[in-house]
């Protein structure tokens, strides 16, 4: 990868911007792309880098859009004619406007880890940072309950133990955060959420019932519940997919 493209990819990761990294892994001449050529494809269809001419680039762009939805990665073969099955995990696209060669590319979906925002600075909040990170989440401690709820959070957990719990819960519900949890007993949780609109969406006591007692165990139960409730995209069909490109080159 060129230095400029590598810097751009790292910036996208830092900014939590999803993209697909396309790498040419094999070519059959004649092709304008060479093995090792790479490009980044963003969610708006922008392609940065080089993986072939207009015909190849448009096919890569179309397949990348699908991968950004599924979160999967795949091997893509672009050929001007029909292709025999080559194995599981291969997507074959027939693009008759190619110059006559065949391209094999690895398309890697690079998605930001789901974000968990934790309000509070006690033992449970601290344990959530460690357990969540170990499970692959991006855990952001909010600390102050007056801090704004992050709009792209997958989960908001309030673990302030009785201090200013309503504001972050209300803000998370209004923002449509998929998982909103409150660390509290069942009785206290019901009392805290009684006057909050949409209180039925608040998970309290937060976490799966695993008999948790210590702060790390409670954190584990909460992360397990977040995992159990996360949306799961429909995977692509197993095996080889044969498709015909619907675009044409001018």
């Amino acid at each position: 990868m060129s230095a400029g493209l590598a810097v751009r990819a790292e910036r996208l990761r830092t900014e939590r911007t999803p993209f697909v990294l396309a790498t040419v892994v094999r070519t059959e001449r004649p092709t304008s792309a060479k093995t090792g050529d790479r490009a980044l494809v963003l969610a708006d269809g922008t392609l940065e880098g080089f993986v072939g001419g207009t015909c190849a680039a448009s096919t890569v762009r179309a397949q990348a859009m699908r991968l950004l939805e599924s979160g999967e990665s795949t091997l893509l073969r672009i050929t001007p004619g029909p292709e025999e099955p080559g194995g599981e995990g291969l997507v074959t696209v027939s693009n008759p406007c190619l110059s006559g060669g065949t391209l094999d590319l690895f398309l890697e979906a690079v998605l930001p880890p789901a974000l968990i925002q934790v309000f509070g600075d006690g033992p449970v909040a601290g344990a959530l940072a460690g357990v969540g990170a170990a499970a692959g989440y991006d855990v952001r401690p909010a600390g102050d309950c007056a801090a704004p709820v992050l709009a792209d959070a997958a989960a908001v957990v309030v673990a302030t133990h009785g201090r200013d719990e309503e504001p972050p819960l209300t803000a998370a519900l209004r923002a449509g955060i998929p998982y909103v949890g409150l660390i509290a007993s069942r009785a206290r949780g019901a009392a805290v959420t009684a006057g909050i609109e949409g209180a039925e969406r608040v998970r309290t006591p937060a976490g799966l019932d695993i008999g948790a007692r210590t702060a790390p165990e409670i954190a584990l139960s909460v992360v397990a519940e977040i995992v159990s409730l996360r949306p799961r995209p429909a995977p692509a069909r197993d095996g080889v997919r044969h498709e015909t490109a619907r675009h044409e080159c001018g």
Side-chain angles (χ1 to χ4, degrees):
M1 187 187 302
S2 68
L5 204 62
V7 170
R8 175 62 169 152
E10 185 57 33
R11 182 178 302 164
L12 291 172
R13 288 189 178 93
T14 301
E15 296 173 350
R16 296 180 52 80
T17 301
F19 65 94
V20 169
L21 173 61
T23 304
V24 178
V25 296
R26 191 181 73 89
T27 65
E28 291 181 7
R29 297 181 180 179
T31 62
S32 56
K34 306 301 180 186
T35 300
D37 284 343
R38 290 183 170 181
L40 308 176
V41 184
L42 307 186
D44 63 359
T46 300
L47 189 148
E48 303 176 14
F50 182 79
V51 285
T54 302
C55 295
S58 59
T59 299
V60 169
R61 182 180 292 108
Q63 294 299 319
M65 295 299 98
R66 298 183 180 184
L67 296 181
L68 286 174
E69 292 181 1
S70 69
E72 298 178 327
S73 298
T74 193
L75 184 64
L76 169 66
R77 175 166 295 168
I78 310 174
T79 177
E83 179 74 12
E84 293 298 323
E88 185 175 343
L90 174 65
V91 175
T92 299
V93 175
S94 177
N95 191 326
C97 77
L98 287 180
S99 58
T102 295
L103 286 173
D104 286 350
L105 307 98
F106 182 66
L107 304 186
E108 178 188 3
V110 182
L111 306 181
L115 190 153
I116 300 176
Q117 189 176 18
V118 180
F119 287 83
D121 54 10
V124 173
L128 276 167
V131 175
Y137 287 90
D138 180 359
V139 184
R140 304 285 183 90
D144 187 355
C145 289
V149 167
L150 300 175
D152 63 339
V156 166
V157 182
V158 178
T160 60
H161 302 287
R163 178 169 51 87
D164 298 327
E165 294 163 314
E166 293 89 344
L169 290 173
T170 300
L173 292 171
R174 288 177 177 172
I177 304 302
Y179 179 96
V180 181
L182 171 64
I183 304 298
S185 67
R186 192 173 305 278
R188 194 173 70 78
V192 170
T193 60
I196 298 178
E197 183 178 354
E200 67 279 359
R201 288 190 49 229
V202 178
R203 297 270 172 174
T204 183
L208 299 178
D209 185 3
I210 60 173
R213 296 184 178 180
T214 67
E217 290 174 348
I218 294 171
L220 176 62
S221 74
V222 173
V223 172
E225 186 173 49
I226 293 172
V227 171
S228 72
L229 296 174
R230 68 184 175 187
R232 287 170 171 75
R237 290 181 299 165
D238 292 337
V240 181
R241 293 214 307 265
H242 295 275
E243 303 176 4
T244 300
R246 297 181 180 179
H247 42 264
E248 297 181 356
C249 297

